Amino acid sequence: MVLDGGLATQLERLGADLGDALWSARLLLDDAGLIRQAHAAYFAAGADVATTASYQASIPGFLRRGIDREQAERLIRLSVEVAAQARDEAGRGLVAASVGPYGACLANGAEYTGDYGVDEDALLAWHRPRWEILASSEADLLACETIPSFAEARALARLLAETPSVKVWVSFSCRDAAHISDGTPIAEAAALFTGNPQVVAVGANCTAPRHIPGLIAALRGGLPVVVYPNSGETWDAAERRWRGTADPIGYGQAAKEWQAAGAALIGGCCRTTPDHIRELRAHLA
């Protein structure tokens, strides 16, 4: 299955200014139609899945912006609705509701370190309101993505047990070819979900492409593997910008190798575009 690419990256290509703590979630308030256009571009490029703009959307994040709780909940539901509109217009595909990490709300790069300073129970309490909204939405499944912390993975596993009808994939941000961002071996983190019929895949995202073959090898033999690395560029948290470059054709060729290695769901994350997904689809076809 081909996933989409970087939603925020495509929104910026469409002219959006995302220099804001809410990142792409700000457009749920200001220009949801642009989000639908971004999803449509990925379906046109060959993606089978639209991942919603709820990654950085959270009740606390919206409350900090002076948005009341009722409207915050409505905006989170809207992220699923606009993705579903694009899916329906394309006439095919699935909607995966993005469950971003606690670190995304901090807006300080902590989703790449797992250095949170809060415990598992606090993470459970933080995730629960958005989880309940997305779990009751029309999304086909939840995409628990860019998870850097073993404690956060445990919290998500507990939420999953509270909502037995929900399907998810779980995808970690990783520091190298064997460990998630907080240093936990990815095989150990993935083992939290092994054998769980609610989990359709486990893997890695927003991780350098060079690490993906090793991560697939560490995960083979368990659940299906999902991978959607970034473009290979590096995030500079101090400057709030990406550094480096990546080639769509090279990305597509690499995706072919990831598929051969055992990945079943493949897409792109930050700094990948519909061009990357088009090349990915062509190479996998």
Side-chain angles (χ1 to χ4, degrees):
M1 181 169 284
V2 175
L3 309 182
D4 55 5
L7 179 60
T9 302
Q10 179 61 13
L11 289 169
E12 289 176 330
R13 293 177 88 202
L14 293 173
D17 178 3
L18 302 183
D20 185 282
L22 289 176
W23 204 31
S24 55
R26 181 180 62 79
L27 294 182
L28 293 168
L29 183 66
D30 296 342
D31 193 352
L34 200 66
I35 298 174
R36 189 180 70 252
Q37 288 181 46
H39 289 313
Y42 280 116
F43 279 126
D48 299 312
V49 179
T51 308
T52 66
S54 50
Y55 176 87
Q56 201 115 349
S58 68
I59 301 296
F62 284 131
L63 291 176
R64 283 199 300 269
R65 288 293 294 271
I67 297 168
D68 65 37
R69 189 179 187 91
E70 182 178 355
Q71 186 179 13
E73 292 176 357
R74 184 184 63 79
L75 291 171
I76 293 171
R77 292 190 186 94
L78 179 62
S79 70
V80 175
E81 292 168 10
V82 296
Q85 289 168 9
R87 184 267 316 277
D88 293 345
E89 290 166 3
R92 61 179 184 83
L94 301 175
V95 172
S98 175
V99 177
Y102 173 71
C105 182
L106 299 179
N108 64 1
E111 61 263 57
Y112 304 116
T113 65
D115 184 12
Y116 289 166
V118 297
D119 64 15
E120 180 183 329
D121 287 340
L123 291 168
L124 179 74
W126 183 87
H127 274 284
R128 182 177 279 116
R130 178 180 60 180
W131 180 281
E132 291 176 346
I133 293 167
L134 294 175
S136 64
S137 75
E138 296 302 311
D140 296 290
L141 74 164
L142 308 188
C144 303
E145 54 184 359
T146 327
I147 306 303
S149 156
F150 190 53
E152 190 163 28
R154 290 196 304 266
L156 293 173
R158 289 166 64 184
L159 284 172
L160 193 57
E162 294 176 8
T163 48
S165 65
V166 170
K167 301 287 188 182
V168 306
W169 79 59
V170 182
S171 183
F172 297 94
S173 70
C174 298
R175 62 166 58 177
D176 56 31
H179 301 86
I180 69 173
S181 292
D182 72 354
T184 303
I186 193 168
E188 181 180 344
L192 289 171
F193 305 98
T194 300
N196 188 329
Q198 294 177 252
V199 183
V200 302
V202 174
N205 77 289
C206 216
T207 295
R210 68 181 182 277
H211 296 323
I212 296 300
L215 291 165
I216 294 171
L219 292 168
R220 284 181 65 177
L223 287 159
V225 176
V226 54
V227 295
Y228 48 117
N230 57 38
S231 65
E233 298 165 272
T234 302
W235 175 248
D236 184 332
E239 296 292 329
R240 295 191 61 77
R241 57 174 292 194
W242 293 91
R243 299 184 180 276
T245 58
D247 177 290
I249 296 176
Y251 195 91
Q253 178 58 44
K256 185 175 182 179
E257 296 168 5
W258 304 332
Q259 183 188 33
L265 290 78
I266 305 175
C269 200
C270 292
R271 305 294 288 176
T272 63
T273 69
D275 295 333
H276 291 80
I277 300 308
R278 191 171 292 107
E279 288 294 336
L280 190 157
R281 169 63 79 184
H283 280 78
L284 297 187

